[in-house]
Amino acid sequence: MYYSGLVRNFVLTLSKRHVSSSSSLGCGSTMLVTPLPSQFNQSMFNNVVASNKLIANYLRLGDMDSALQVFDKMTVKSTVTWNSILAGYAKNLGNFEVVRQVFDKIPEPNSVSYNIMLACYLNNFGIHRARAYFDVMPVKDTASWNTMISGYAQIGLMGEARMMFLAMPEKNTVSWSAMVSGYVACGDLDSAVECFYAATVKSVITWTAMITGYMKFGRVESAEKLFQEMSQKTLVTWNAMIAGYVDNSRAEDGLKLLKTMLETGAKPNAVSLTSVLLGCSNLSALQLGRQVHQLVCKSPLSSDTTAGTSLVSMYSKCGELKDASKLFVQIQRKDLVSWNAMISGYAQHGASEKALELFDAMKNDGMKPDWITFVAVFLACNHAGFVDLGVQYFDAMIRDYGIEARPKHYACMVDLLGRSGRLSEAKDLIKSMPFKPHPAIFGTLLGACRIHKNLDLAEFVAKNLLALDPSSATGYVQLANIYAAQNRWEHVARIRRSMKDNNVVKTPGYSWIEIKSVVHEFRSSDRLHPELVSIHKKQNELEKKMKMAGYIPDLEFALHDVEEELKEQLLLWHSEKLAIAFGLLKVPLGVPIRVFKNLRVCGDCHTAIKYISAIEGREIIVRDTTRFHHFKDGSCSCSDYW
């Protein structure tokens, strides 16, 4: 008891100084050394057990140099002593030669010594060099076999992992967990289930791996059943369930489980809250997100950077940019993810100048941008039409920051050029890409062709898109829309027949709005909502007022070969207009109406919503697949550049 207390006391009060030392291990270097306390005279270093504990404490603190000082002063060293130093060096990649030299000096290496070397081979040179070393190891234990099984599983070589697993003389919970986790990671759920139920011993890690697998493949009920059967749950288990609910579009169940977790006395971490907040963002469930925010405020995570960043992201994606900005300012220790979240938030909401100002502030704060930062910067330029500035940033990213352009960067640049009408430059940029274009890049250019009514280029782009991905609905639909806008209905019919022949299904457009924590979903020409009569009545009233104010329906966006009167009716029943009409009936005055859509908002709806915002005196926020539109007093935050 006296010894361990002494260690704690001196570790807390040590000062650091630089000295040049040469360890008895033969690894001379200039090191940051902690002077040993005076209480430790030479006789104390004769106590191997005490010295080993001291070395272990130093290594736990990451102080390798002080551990070496103790090692050098020891008159007697056990294999445990050597293994501790060996493990200390092995922690850092690139130290292989030093590790090997230390290993060669161990008088009597044991299975732990060999296992440290095996892990070092695996981490530095990969599974094949590790296997060669494993095969010549004179001493192997269960940990040796587990290292190899885990190594194979982590890179998806489950056939080799299974052969090792079957050959190993004795299996433990680590062995079974590695196999279950490996099968889950490589997408073989059936084998994971078979292995899980065949396991003679299961740890909480094995159970959690199986829960993760069930959730990954949408078998939520099976995951729930296992979760209920578990006698012991760790924080990782709770997080796996919460994240699983979110991934399966059941964020509300994730929040309920988070509350249950708190009631049991388990303390959530940033991962728990981040998962739930991600679900709120995906569902645009603002009220649910506010509840999570309250939980964060009442917990020790109120000052946690990850939790704060997740809240910033949630509020941004739910349309509350002001709240996101306030929270960002309150984050005391901002990391790169925090800066990226706020820059991206500004960009998505069309606050491009603020996004770029924050980008400059981030650099001035000494934070180096990464590839994600530049995606947000390009979006900001895109939404404001800063074409030349975007090109400058693209060049600077590669030249000044050494960041290799990724498909997302090229997609942003193609959109930036295409949206501004510089279609030829966008096409040339695609040709200059150092890798095969992703279908989404051609899809982006095809959208620009529709905006600028360039049919010739659209046909060329659609051909390339469908060659890359014959099942892509985007290629068919965008080209059909361009033909429809030019009343070339025979071409529209041909494309629709081709879609049917190739079993291509168009993603149906829908919009949703949250009213009193309940999400209401609408499809175009919706016939299912229980309050449809009131909604249509409100729409008819709005249509009369809008036309009196000068609104003319843009029939180009009624993509059906029918009479004009019916086209107007179809436009009136677009999903976003239905959701807004419902919002006008239900959302109190003074509270913004927030609508979300799974596709890009159409041009006629964009024009109509501007009229509605002026006529009703309401702020209307619409998020589509590319950005937020803030409508107020007859204008939109995008300045009609979208």
Side-chain angles (χ1 to χ4, degrees):
M1 183 67 71
Y2 165 76
Y3 172 80
S4 59
L6 191 61
V7 170
R8 281 197 300 273
N9 289 335
F10 89 76
V11 164
L12 292 172
T13 57
L14 293 176
S15 61
K16 301 268 186 174
R17 62 185 174 86
H18 283 88
V19 302
S20 181
S21 74
S22 181
S23 165
S24 62
L25 293 171
C27 309
S29 63
T30 299
M31 306 180 300
L32 187 65
V33 176
T34 305
L36 298 174
S38 58
Q39 298 99 312
F40 282 85
N41 55 40
Q42 187 61 46
S43 63
M44 298 190 72
F45 290 107
N46 295 335
N47 185 329
V48 177
V49 175
S51 295
N52 285 346
K53 286 182 179 178
L54 186 55
I55 288 173
N57 281 332
Y58 274 127
L59 292 175
R60 200 172 293 116
L61 294 168
D63 191 350
M64 183 69 183
D65 300 330
S66 296
L68 286 172
Q69 277 197 87
V70 177
F71 180 86
D72 287 343
K73 289 180 180 292
M74 291 174 66
T75 54
V76 179
K77 302 176 179 74
S78 67
T79 303
V80 172
T81 316
W82 285 95
N83 286 343
S84 296
I85 296 298
L86 188 68
Y89 275 121
K91 280 182 182 178
N92 299 317
L93 289 177
N95 272 352
F96 180 78
E97 280 305 315
V98 176
V99 176
R100 189 180 58 77
Q101 289 172 25
V102 174
F103 177 81
D104 290 343
K105 292 189 177 189
I106 301 177
E108 296 178 357
N110 59 12
S111 61
V112 175
S113 316
Y114 281 101
N115 286 337
I116 293 170
M117 283 303 297
L118 178 63
C120 203
Y121 269 103
L122 180 64
N123 295 331
N124 283 276
F125 304 115
I127 191 67
H128 300 300
R129 285 282 296 275
R131 177 60 186 268
Y133 184 76
F134 174 86
D135 288 341
V136 298
M137 281 170 58
V139 183
K140 299 184 184 77
D141 59 11
T142 304
S144 316
W145 290 87
N146 286 341
T147 298
M148 291 305 302
I149 290 169
S150 298
Y152 280 123
Q154 284 168 7
I155 58 174
L157 297 177
M158 290 309 297
E160 288 82 350
R162 185 173 183 273
M163 288 171 63
M164 295 288 290
F165 179 77
L166 294 174
M168 69 187 299
E170 187 178 344
K171 302 169 181 63
N172 60 13
T173 57
V174 176
S175 320
W176 291 101
S177 297
M179 290 299 293
V180 173
S181 299
Y183 280 128
V184 167
C186 72
D188 188 352
L189 183 64
D190 291 339
S191 295
V193 172
E194 181 184 346
C195 191
F196 176 79
Y197 285 105
T200 52
V201 283
K202 298 185 186 81
S203 68
V204 66
I205 297 172
T206 322
W207 286 81
T208 303
M210 197 64 250
I211 286 172
T212 301
Y214 278 134
M215 284 297 196
K216 181 179 178 180
F217 290 90
R219 291 176 56 176
V220 180
E221 291 74 18
S222 298
E224 288 174 331
K225 183 174 180 292
L226 279 190
F227 185 76
Q228 295 301 327
E229 291 174 1
M230 288 181 72
S231 56
Q232 178 192 0
K233 300 177 180 74
T234 64
L235 180 58
V236 178
T237 313
W238 288 96
N239 286 347
M241 281 297 296
I242 292 169
Y245 278 129
V246 170
D247 291 342
N248 286 280
S249 303
R250 289 173 56 171
E252 202 161 341
D253 288 328
L255 180 59
K256 287 178 183 175
L257 189 63
L258 180 65
K259 291 177 178 176
T260 303
M261 176 183 173
L262 291 168
E263 289 166 4
T264 64
K267 295 181 179 179
N269 62 3
V271 175
S272 323
L273 297 169
T274 298
S275 295
V276 177
L277 289 168
L278 177 62
C280 297
S281 300
N282 292 342
L283 294 173
S284 306
L286 181 60
Q287 297 310 313
L288 205 60
R290 291 196 192 281
Q291 291 180 47
V292 180
H293 188 180
Q294 290 174 359
L295 290 174
V296 172
C297 290
K298 295 174 184 176
S299 76
L301 293 169
S302 57
S303 59
D304 181 84
T305 299
T306 302
T309 301
S310 297
L311 285 167
V312 167
S313 182
M314 183 276 294
Y315 278 117
S316 292
K317 291 177 180 177
C318 288
E320 281 286 3
L321 190 60
K322 288 181 180 178
D323 286 347
S325 182
K326 287 177 185 175
L327 278 167
F328 175 76
V329 171
Q330 292 170 11
I331 297 174
Q332 295 176 357
R333 294 177 299 277
K334 298 177 181 67
D335 59 14
L336 180 58
V337 181
S338 310
W339 288 97
N340 286 349
M342 197 65 247
I343 294 170
S344 179
Y346 280 132
Q348 288 175 339
H349 283 265
S352 299
E353 290 185 0
K354 286 186 177 180
L356 297 178
E357 286 172 7
L358 195 63
F359 176 58
D360 289 336
M362 168 186 157
K363 291 185 292 182
N364 293 336
D365 202 47
M367 191 69 66
K368 186 179 179 181
D370 66 357
W371 72 273
I372 297 172
T373 316
F374 278 100
V375 170
V377 167
F378 297 151
L379 282 176
C381 293
N382 193 355
H383 292 162
F386 298 155
V387 184
D388 292 332
L389 185 59
V391 172
Q392 289 174 27
Y393 278 129
F394 183 79
D395 292 338
M397 176 186 75
I398 301 168
R399 182 188 64 243
D400 300 338
Y401 295 96
I403 297 172
E404 190 175 334
R406 302 189 181 201
K408 278 196 174 183
H409 298 132
Y410 279 102
C412 288
M413 292 305 296
V414 167
D415 197 21
L416 177 67
L417 293 167
R419 197 182 296 270
S420 66
R422 292 159 66 167
L423 299 175
S424 296
E425 291 178 58
K427 181 183 174 183
D428 290 341
L429 183 63
I430 293 175
K431 288 181 178 178
S432 71
M433 287 168 53
F435 41 75
K436 188 177 180 180
H438 190 276
I441 291 176
F442 280 118
T444 298
L445 183 54
L446 192 55
C449 291
R450 182 187 177 187
I451 293 171
H452 297 286
K453 300 180 174 60
N454 190 323
L455 182 57
D456 291 337
L457 183 57
E459 290 175 333
F460 168 79
V461 173
K463 182 179 178 181
N464 279 275
L465 172 57
L466 295 175
L468 283 174
D469 183 8
S471 64
S472 169
T474 301
Y476 292 103
V477 172
Q478 290 278 35
L479 190 56
N481 290 346
I482 294 171
Y483 284 133
Q486 298 185 13
N487 294 319
R488 298 174 67 170
W489 299 110
E490 70 283 1
H491 292 284
V492 174
R494 175 175 55 79
I495 289 174
R496 287 175 178 165
R497 282 195 302 272
S498 182
M499 287 178 70
K500 187 176 180 180
D501 293 342
N502 290 289
N503 296 315
V504 176
V505 180
K506 175 189 173 184
T507 302
Y510 61 91
S511 301
W512 66 97
I513 183 171
E514 183 183 4
I515 307 290
K516 294 181 179 178
S517 299
V518 177
V519 176
H520 296 260
E521 187 178 295
F522 295 89
R523 310 235 170 200
S524 290
S525 303
D526 198 288
R527 294 187 177 90
L528 299 176
H529 197 277
E531 297 190 47
L532 212 52
V533 173
S534 300
I535 292 169
H536 284 164
K537 183 180 178 183
K538 181 66 179 177
Q539 281 191 306
N540 291 332
E541 292 173 4
L542 283 172
E543 185 183 30
K544 290 176 183 176
K545 292 179 181 178
M546 286 179 352
K547 286 185 174 179
M548 287 179 63
Y551 164 71
I552 300 173
D554 191 343
L555 302 184
E556 178 185 321
F557 293 95
L559 305 172
H560 296 275
D561 187 14
V562 293
E563 296 298 323
E564 285 196 4
E565 186 177 347
L566 184 53
K567 284 186 177 183
E568 288 190 23
Q569 189 70 69
L570 291 171
L571 286 175
L572 187 64
W573 287 349
H574 273 192
S575 64
E576 52 266 60
K577 291 194 183 90
L578 292 168
I580 288 169
F582 185 62
L584 291 168
L585 294 171
K586 298 296 181 180
V587 177
L589 287 170
V591 178
I593 295 169
R594 294 181 178 83
V595 171
F596 305 87
K597 185 170 182 178
N598 72 323
L599 301 176
R600 189 171 179 270
V601 65
C602 89
D604 177 74
C605 286
H606 191 270
T607 301
I609 299 167
K610 288 195 292 183
Y611 278 97
I612 294 169
S613 70
I615 292 166
E616 296 289 317
R618 302 295 295 268
E619 182 182 359
I620 302 170
I621 301 170
V622 177
R623 188 190 85 182
D624 65 10
T625 50
T626 59
R627 64 173 296 158
F628 278 89
H629 297 267
H630 293 253
F631 298 91
K632 192 174 182 180
D633 299 328
S635 62
C636 178
S637 59
C638 73
S639 301
D640 296 336
Y641 186 85
W642 58 286

